[in-house]
Amino acid sequence: MYEVYVCKLNDEVLYVGQGKLGRHNHCKSGCSHVYELNKLHFLGEKIEVRIVNYFDSRDESLACEKELI
């Protein structure tokens, strides 16, 4: 299973991503590959992460991610 997710701060979209189930957790972990998300985490900002949809295939999740971006 794959997921597509959106990370927001104060209703502003910061990041759109996709990956295997649970991938969205990197947004709030402080260990993301996205420097700015890590910075916000350590500043104590409350990043909202919403899963947009679940998919059976990576190709489907990539198509959805691309559409959202």
Side-chain angles (χ1 to χ4, degrees):
M1 289 286 294
Y2 294 85
E3 61 188 26
V4 174
Y5 54 92
V6 175
C7 302
K8 293 182 176 183
L9 179 63
N10 302 324
D11 291 325
E12 179 182 345
V13 175
L14 302 174
Y15 185 82
V16 176
Q18 69 79 36
K20 292 186 178 182
L21 288 181
R23 177 68 182 140
H24 68 278
N25 292 318
H26 80 89
C27 295
K28 296 166 78 171
S29 69
C31 297
S32 175
H33 64 283
V34 182
Y35 172 79
E36 288 299 323
L37 291 177
N38 293 335
K39 182 177 174 182
L40 292 169
H41 169 80
F42 289 110
L43 289 173
E45 297 289 349
K46 301 295 180 197
I47 298 169
E48 173 193 348
V49 182
R50 182 176 61 90
I51 298 174
V52 175
N53 212 336
Y54 296 97
F55 298 93
D56 290 325
S57 77
R58 183 172 187 264
D59 288 342
E60 289 175 308
S61 68
L62 285 169
C64 179
E65 177 193 38
K66 183 177 180 180
E67 183 178 315
L68 290 172
I69 292 172

